[in-house]
Amino acid sequence: MATTLSGLILIVDDIPTNLDVISEALSNEGYKVAIATSGERALQQIERRPPDLILLDVMMPGIDGFETCQRLKANPKTCDIPVMFMTALADVDNKVKGLKLGAVDYVTKPFQEEEVLARVKTHLQLRLLSQNLEQQVAQKTAELRATQLQVIQREKMSALGDLVAGVAHEINNPVGFLSGNIQHALENIKDLFGLLDLVQQESANFSPAIQDKIEAIDLEYIREDLPKLVGSMREGINRIKDISISLRTFSRADSDRPIPSNIHDGINTTIMILKHRLKASDTRPEIQVIKKYGNLPQVECYAGQLNQVFMNLLANAIDALEESNPGRSYAEIKINPNQIIIKTELSEDMQQAIIRIKDNGIGMSEAVRDQIFNELFTTKEVGKGTGLGLAIVRQIIIEKHGGTITVNSELGAGTEFVITLPTQAEQTS
């Protein structure tokens, strides 16, 4: 379907007769017309209401047409507006000068009305095509960036998943060996102590050397403590098993469709992986993670990708807390400890899972807060951040899951990310 051109045309001329003639001709063709009688007034009008095309006389009092055109092209807000000179200066030098200043056309007076209308129509069409092309380029660029983010996210998750799965696999073999033999060890210890009891019953008097050895090793203490020690080893093995299961849960590959998953399991496994960053150090006490889990149902989601979201947000929270500590002593931090509060709840309509991740770290300024989800934006030092983490988080939550993510932050007071996820994924045909 053809597009009807009815753009705004500004006519700039200090002669009223010229204004009347050309404005009437343009109005009869259905164009919107504005007029200005000097370069100064033209610049003021254009600032308030940019036209789609400017018909500009050269010889005017005050600043002439050439100067007016030069100022328009020097202003980023007006540099793209096409300018047609309409003047009695017909020599080649003036035409070349006008075109070098950025004009798209140069019509000499006296002009033919049909010629001017044809040229106006042509330049408005070019203007429209240019704008459409810019929109298409912007759209394709946005689509390309989105695709790049998806590729980066997939590669990042794939690499992390392979690493974590590999670690879990390597843990499984020795843990399986220890777990399978711990019960046998306990039974053997029991048998050995039974044999010692029998020996003591059959031999009323040990030699002094044996008696001294029994006292030296404190046999009764060993009899009581050794089973406890092996039991503690069993608990440690079970803990390693839990860690291995958590690693496999974190690294699981997503299917081609969302499946019901336990959101809390994903958060817990992520916290476990980040445990080394939460522990106390020489400069600060342990970062407290406070869980306020609500009663959430299974949420239909891509669990592996959500784990990446939790990883990014929690790692950023730890970074913010560590950045808030310089200048505070160990004791001061202990009095007002670093905290991450994770709260989950179900929305009132029971259709949305709400996840809040809040820290009492350094916080963000309004300027930073407005840009954090933009790709390549980062506040971290060179080499410590790519600026892709939160852009990928936003994409996973909004585009992949149809949810929302917002941020509340105050400089010096901390940051809270609020995620909402539909409990049931939209059905696609």
Side-chain angles (χ1 to χ4, degrees):
M1 185 176 69
T3 302
T4 302
L5 295 174
S6 58
L8 175 64
I9 301 173
L10 175 64
I11 308 169
V12 187
D13 200 316
D14 62 322
I15 301 175
T17 303
N18 291 339
L19 291 173
D20 291 341
V21 172
I22 194 64
S23 63
E24 182 178 357
L26 292 171
S27 297
N28 290 338
E29 291 295 315
Y31 297 115
K32 298 175 183 177
V33 178
I35 61 174
T37 57
S38 69
E40 292 90 342
R41 291 184 179 179
L43 293 173
Q44 293 172 359
Q45 287 183 224
I46 294 167
E47 192 71 27
R48 293 193 302 268
R49 187 184 179 192
D52 297 304
L53 178 66
I54 300 171
L55 304 183
L56 182 59
D57 188 22
V58 173
M59 295 183 294
M60 295 183 295
I63 62 172
D64 63 15
F66 290 145
E67 176 68 18
T68 303
C69 181
Q70 189 172 18
R71 294 190 186 185
L72 287 170
K73 296 304 175 182
N75 187 343
K77 295 181 180 179
T78 59
C79 62
D80 292 330
I81 302 173
V83 175
M84 281 180 56
F85 280 116
M86 294 190 4
T87 178
L89 299 176
D91 59 284
V92 174
D93 289 342
N94 281 303
K95 288 182 179 180
V96 172
K97 181 179 180 180
L99 295 173
K100 282 186 175 180
L101 288 171
V104 296
D105 210 340
Y106 196 103
V107 181
T108 57
K109 300 177 184 177
F111 51 78
Q112 296 295 321
E113 184 176 303
E114 291 184 359
E115 178 188 0
V116 173
L117 291 175
R119 294 193 181 197
V120 165
K121 182 177 180 180
T122 296
H123 289 300
L124 283 175
Q125 287 176 329
L126 290 173
R127 167 82 162 158
L128 181 63
L129 289 172
S130 177
Q131 289 177 334
N132 288 341
L133 181 59
E134 289 175 0
Q135 291 175 357
Q136 291 176 17
V137 169
Q139 181 180 350
K140 294 298 182 183
T141 300
E143 292 174 357
L144 178 59
R145 286 179 177 176
T147 302
Q148 288 175 329
L149 282 177
Q150 290 174 356
V151 171
I152 291 169
Q153 188 268 334
R154 283 198 298 268
E155 291 300 320
K156 188 174 181 179
M157 282 301 296
S158 176
L160 182 60
D162 290 345
L163 174 63
V164 171
V167 171
H169 177 73
E170 291 301 320
I171 289 175
N172 282 343
N173 289 334
V175 167
F177 172 79
L178 291 171
S179 180
N181 287 285
I182 200 80
Q183 184 60 38
H184 296 304
L186 282 171
E187 292 174 357
N188 290 339
I189 290 169
K190 183 179 179 181
D191 290 342
L192 287 173
F193 281 133
L195 177 61
L196 284 175
D197 291 339
L198 183 60
V199 169
Q200 285 180 319
Q201 290 174 10
E202 293 293 326
S203 178
N205 296 308
F206 288 119
S207 68
I210 295 176
Q211 193 64 41
D212 290 343
K213 189 66 174 177
I214 290 174
E215 292 177 1
I217 66 174
D218 197 350
L219 181 60
E220 290 305 315
Y221 174 77
I222 292 176
R223 184 193 299 274
E224 179 182 352
D225 185 63
L226 187 55
K228 293 180 181 179
L229 181 62
V230 177
S232 296
M233 293 169 61
R234 170 183 279 170
E235 290 180 5
I237 292 170
N238 289 335
R239 174 60 181 151
I240 296 173
K241 279 185 178 179
D242 291 340
I243 292 173
S244 177
I245 292 170
S246 294
L247 290 173
R248 293 199 301 272
T249 299
F250 182 86
S251 64
R252 61 188 168 188
D254 285 320
S255 65
D256 58 356
R257 59 183 178 81
I259 59 174
S261 302
N262 188 320
I263 294 294
H264 297 152
D265 284 349
I267 296 173
N268 290 337
T269 57
T270 306
I271 293 171
M272 185 276 300
I273 292 174
L274 290 170
K275 194 74 176 177
H276 67 287
R277 295 196 60 194
L278 298 169
K279 290 181 178 179
S281 68
D282 294 338
T283 58
R284 61 157 177 81
E286 180 181 14
I287 295 174
Q288 298 177 1
V289 178
I290 301 170
K291 302 174 187 177
K292 298 181 179 180
Y293 291 165
N295 187 19
L296 292 185
Q298 296 270 308
V299 174
E300 292 184 357
C301 63
Y302 298 91
Q305 294 189 33
L306 282 186
N307 287 343
Q308 179 64 36
V309 169
F310 301 142
M311 175 67 76
N312 273 311
L313 294 183
L314 289 171
N316 282 348
I318 295 171
D319 290 340
L321 290 168
E322 291 180 339
E323 290 174 15
S324 70
N325 287 332
R328 301 170 65 200
S329 67
Y330 196 100
E332 288 172 336
I333 300 173
K334 193 169 185 178
I335 293 172
N336 295 300
N338 296 153
Q339 289 185 341
I340 299 174
I341 301 174
I342 305 171
K343 181 179 180 181
T344 63
E345 59 186 329
L346 200 58
S347 62
E348 291 183 2
D349 61 5
M350 313 289 281
Q351 301 299 311
Q352 304 281 331
I354 304 172
I355 305 147
R356 303 175 187 273
I357 299 176
K358 183 178 182 180
D359 66 70
N360 60 345
I362 195 170
M364 292 180 279
S365 66
E366 184 177 353
V368 171
R369 190 172 66 243
D370 291 341
Q371 298 185 71
I372 58 170
F373 292 115
N374 296 339
E375 61 267 23
L376 304 183
F377 175 80
T378 180
T379 59
K380 297 178 181 177
E381 298 176 10
V382 175
K384 292 188 177 181
T386 63
L388 292 172
L390 289 177
I392 291 173
V393 164
R394 182 183 182 279
Q395 186 182 70
I396 292 172
I397 296 298
I398 295 177
E399 298 179 19
K400 197 71 176 180
H401 289 87
T404 65
I405 180 167
T406 57
V407 58
N408 306 308
S409 186
E410 183 180 346
L411 195 61
T415 299
E416 179 185 48
F417 285 92
V418 182
I419 297 169
T420 65
L421 294 170
T423 55
Q424 293 186 334
E426 293 184 5
Q427 297 298 319
T428 56
S429 56

